[in-house]
């Protein structure tokens, strides 16, 4: 799929909107044959912001993002995504290390979460969490919506 088609399918990151674009996984995005694929502008902007403002900010992780591609989306249909950096998929490495953890509110004031994580020192993905069961984990937040958690990482 061409990048312009992907960005249209996944929504315009138009950050002028207060609320994020819903990222309901279209069938072709849950089909493993489309992976690896480039990050959309919205996925890249969010991940870059998380790595820059995270509790464990790292230039090395930002450099990894430059060569990262999406290796898969969560099978549940949420907007979470896994990454491959320089052809290395970290999902086989044991352990998960959260490097940035933030909260945000969906349009109905339901508390949501987003965190970036590594495995074995490799940037491995971004997880969208739905703390209330409202089902809005299919949205990627825009950075202006994010606030820090009280977690000491």
């Amino acid at each position: 799929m061409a990048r312009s088609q992907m960005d249209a399918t996944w929504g315009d990151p138009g950050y002028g909107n207060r609320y994020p674009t819903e990222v309901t996984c279209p069938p072709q995005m849950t089909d493993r044959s489309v992976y690896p694929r480039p990050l959309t502008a919205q996925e890249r902007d969010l991940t870059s912001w998380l790595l820059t403002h995270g509790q464990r900010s790292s230039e090395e992780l930002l450099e990894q993002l430059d060569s990262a591609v999406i290796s898969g989306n969560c099978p549940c249909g949420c907007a979470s995504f896994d990454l491959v950096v320089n052809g290395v998929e970290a999902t086989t490495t044991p352990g998960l290390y959260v490097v940035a953890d933030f909260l945000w509110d969906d349009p109905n004031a339901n508390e949501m979460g987003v965190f970036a994580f590594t495995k074995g020192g490799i940037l491995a993905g971004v997880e969208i969490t739905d703390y209330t069961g409202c089902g809005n984990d299919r949205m990627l937040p825009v950075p202006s919506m994010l606030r820090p958690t009280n977690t000491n990482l």
Side-chain angles (χ1 to χ4, degrees), residues 28-65:
Q28 69 270 23
M29 293 302 182
T30 56
D31 175 2
R32 295 296 297 178
S33 68
V34 301
Y35 298 108
R37 67 167 177 82
L39 281 77
T40 64
Q42 187 177 11
E43 291 163 337
R44 183 169 299 282
D45 290 349
L46 174 62
T47 306
S48 177
W49 192 94
L50 290 170
L51 296 176
T52 302
H53 296 88
Q55 293 83 342
R56 304 232 189 260
S57 180
S58 168
E59 248 340 280
E60 181 182 344
L61 294 178
L62 285 167
E63 289 174 15
Q64 289 182 22
L65 179 60

Side-chain angles (χ1 to χ4, degrees), residues 36-39 44 60-70 83-88 122-123:
R37 67 167 177 82
L39 281 77
R44 183 169 299 282
E60 181 182 344
L61 294 178
L62 285 167
E63 289 174 15
Q64 289 182 22
L65 179 60
D66 289 339
S67 60
V69 295
I70 302 281
L83 297 169
V84 171
V85 176
N86 291 323
V88 178
I122 299 172
L123 184 60

Side-chain angles (χ1 to χ4, degrees), residues 122-141:
I122 299 172
L123 184 60
V126 172
E127 183 74 22
I128 307 299
T129 55
D130 176 357
Y131 296 121
T132 61
C134 65
N136 282 339
D137 54 354
R138 286 158 173 73
M139 298 177 178
L140 286 177

Side-chain angles (χ1 to χ4, degrees), residues 21-25 76-79 112 128 135-140:
T21 304
E22 184 168 347
V23 185
T24 304
C25 275
C76 81
C78 73
M112 309 292 287
I128 307 299
N136 282 339
D137 54 354
R138 286 158 173 73
M139 298 177 178
L140 286 177

